[in-house]
Amino acid sequence: MGRNQAISIGINKYDFLTPLKYAKRDAELMQEFLRGASFEQVFFFSDDSPDYQGRPTRPSRNNLRRFLRQISNKPIMATGDNLWFFFSGHGMQCNGRDYLMPCDGDAEDVEHTAIPIDFVTECLRGCGAGNVILMLDACRYRGSKSGLGIGNQAAEIARQKGVVTFFSCSPNQLSYEIETLQQGIFTKAVLEGLGIQGKCATVERLNHYLSCRVPELIREHKGEKVQQTPYCIAEPVTKSHLIICPQYATLQDVSILKNDAYQAELNKDYDLAKQLWIRVLAASTGDMEAINGIQRIAISQIENERYSQGSSVSSSAANKSPSPLSPKSTPVPNAIPIETDVPLKSEWGVDYTNLRDLLAAKKWQEADEETARVMLNIPGRKQEWLDVESIEKFPCEDLRTIDQLWVEYSNGRFGFSVQKRIYQSLGGTSEYDREVWERFCDKVGWRKKNSWLYYLTCLEKASEGHLPWGVLWCGWMWGGERDDYMGWDSEADGYEVQIRGGEEGGEDISDCISSLASRLVKCNI
């Protein structure tokens, strides 16, 4: 189970800068909330905070730098752990670099008296925690000549280091404190979002809540002319699915996280996969998929280590005396070398070699048609289209083989599991929702400018999740009859399709998408 620790810093009294009114209170409220959320340790730095283990916690440059160096030099956290860093105070930009201003920071000598955010990030990453979350309620100092606060460099660092970072405002804006609230607007919205009012279980959901709630509070307390626009950097995309409040996590949140974990395993990113499975366990105690996933990773890592040791010995011997080709390894003219770890397993005895070869050759349209042919030719029953009942009975072994082949050869861009993740991230469930369905079609490129498309001119540039789709769409297209084509839509960059049945047809295929997503979950895909 992942551990949670945090650092909360709030500065009202500055030696050389304009004092703030409620930064200390914001940090105190954040500390109080995190302790109530079962954080085992919250380190607190403020104007008059008590000493910690005999050391001062006044948020001066020396005290903060010393503390950050110490947690980096002696890592006490692990891959599945989370470290939060909250700062409420002044922030400045100097010579293209972002700084947090400690209580003794000097606007006339920023580089020698402030703390660079890249230094903060590096130290936090060095603590060993798999997930680092920064919340920066650092308003632009009004005396700054550039008129810019932090954000530009800090955002780039967040992207490079994979650190989730929430900013209270854009670099050219102020982060406001409100007298009637006795609090900063950003921190108030954060605590609402993480609490019973917002119930934001994930990074993505909290970001959405803040983007709506902060402007709403600004209009209420400062008027229409004032702007404060919070934003979040969470890259790669798996970071946005991070469950930060397990008590509010839904089955859909956990399912999306599981999909990320399976994808990381498929990509052989075992450290990330293990971290994600631990996050699943934090939100879903005793989850057998997560427990099995962690066990699989341990076995895979042991096998890879043995393989590496064995291959280093055998390769030197092979280089000395090349052996003749066996009959199975005889090169086939014009064949594309196949290197994949995807086992071509089938509960039906289906041969997936042709699908594999088409995908390896990047013949996406032919591979899509082959996928539809295989899935519709169920042994003993040839179907015209794939319906909900057929999906619910589709063998897991075959579904996994088909999906893994698509994911493998598209570098994670195409595949049923990719479509499932996108569909669920948009709010898709087992129930038909026209708005969600249309957003999904727009997202994966099945619809452009209100035109329904079949194949695009260049599938190499198709949207993530665009394929496979032939087996799903043929039911909507009356068994895949090609007379439904209306012709080439140059503006939308694809073949426009006339959909007979309108919304009713949309409901049919949406049912297939939701049923397929459900089947993938049941099959641990």
Side-chain angles (χ1 to χ4, degrees), residues 204-223:
E204 185 176 39
R205 203 172 299 169
L206 178 60
N207 181 39
H208 178 71
Y209 184 87
L210 294 176
S211 66
C212 296
R213 183 60 173 153
V214 170
E216 183 179 68
L217 287 169
I218 284 289
R219 287 192 298 271
E220 182 181 339
H221 294 279
K222 302 294 289 185

Side-chain angles (χ1 to χ4, degrees), residues 47-65:
D47 303 336
D48 52 4
S49 52
D51 292 353
Y52 176 73
Q53 295 184 346
R55 298 193 175 184
T57 60
R58 180 174 182 262
S60 66
R61 182 175 186 271
N62 285 341
N63 288 343
L64 291 175
R65 284 180 63 91

Side-chain angles (χ1 to χ4, degrees), residues 227-467:
Q227 289 189 332
Q228 181 178 335
T229 310
Y231 62 102
C232 173
I233 302 296
E235 296 183 13
V237 69
T238 52
K239 292 290 183 180
S240 66
H241 303 154
L242 180 66
I243 295 176
I244 52 178
C245 288
Q247 66 270 35
Y248 303 132
T250 64
L251 291 176
Q252 181 178 322
D253 295 327
V254 175
S255 177
I256 291 173
L257 205 58
K258 286 180 179 181
N259 186 64
D260 290 340
Y262 281 121
Q263 189 65 54
E265 281 192 61
L266 188 61
N267 295 336
K268 298 181 178 59
D269 190 344
Y270 296 123
D271 288 339
L272 174 60
K274 182 179 179 181
Q275 181 187 135
L276 292 168
W277 282 126
I278 291 173
R279 293 306 303 158
V280 170
L281 280 175
S284 179
T285 305
D287 190 294
M288 287 308 300
E289 282 187 68
I291 293 170
N292 292 337
I294 293 171
Q295 291 175 343
R296 275 197 311 274
I297 291 167
I299 294 170
S300 297
Q301 289 176 323
I302 293 172
E303 290 178 345
N304 287 345
E305 187 175 341
R306 288 174 177 171
Y307 176 79
S308 299
Q309 293 172 348
S311 61
S312 61
V313 175
S314 60
S315 61
S316 59
N319 289 335
K320 293 179 181 179
S321 55
S323 58
L325 291 172
S326 66
K328 289 185 178 179
S329 60
T330 302
V332 178
N334 301 320
I336 297 174
I338 303 297
E339 295 181 6
T340 177
D341 293 326
V342 178
L344 304 184
K345 296 181 180 180
S346 172
E347 293 179 30
W348 292 344
V350 175
D351 183 2
Y352 289 105
T353 304
N354 190 40
L355 176 60
R356 179 197 64 187
D357 293 347
L358 289 170
L359 288 167
K362 309 298 182 187
K363 295 182 177 179
W364 304 116
Q365 181 171 339
E366 292 88 339
D368 188 43
E369 292 173 348
E370 174 68 7
T371 300
R373 186 192 68 78
V374 169
M375 294 184 72
L376 294 176
N377 281 274
I378 297 174
R381 179 188 169 202
K382 181 178 175 60
Q383 294 178 280
E384 292 184 353
W385 59 79
L386 200 67
D387 54 20
V388 172
E389 182 183 355
S390 301
I391 291 173
E392 291 175 348
K393 295 179 180 179
F394 203 88
C396 291
E397 198 78 80
D398 292 74
L399 193 59
R400 183 176 292 106
T401 297
I402 294 168
D403 179 63
Q404 288 183 350
L405 285 171
W406 274 98
V407 172
E408 173 90 4
Y409 285 107
S410 67
N411 293 320
R413 289 175 56 237
F414 301 147
F416 293 131
S417 60
V418 179
Q419 292 168 350
K420 181 194 76 170
R421 171 175 55 79
I422 295 171
Y423 183 68
Q424 291 180 332
S425 71
L426 295 172
T429 65
S430 59
E431 299 297 325
Y432 173 65
D433 185 315
R434 183 178 181 182
E435 184 179 341
V436 171
W437 163 241
E438 291 183 348
R439 286 208 309 269
F440 172 77
C441 291
D442 292 339
K443 185 80 172 177
V444 300
W446 291 0
R447 191 178 78 151
K448 276 190 177 182
K449 300 182 185 299
N450 295 319
S451 290
W452 299 96
L453 307 179
Y454 197 54
Y455 285 113
L456 302 181
T457 180
C458 183
L459 287 169
E460 290 284 358
K461 298 180 181 179
S463 302
E464 182 185 29
H466 185 74
L467 294 173

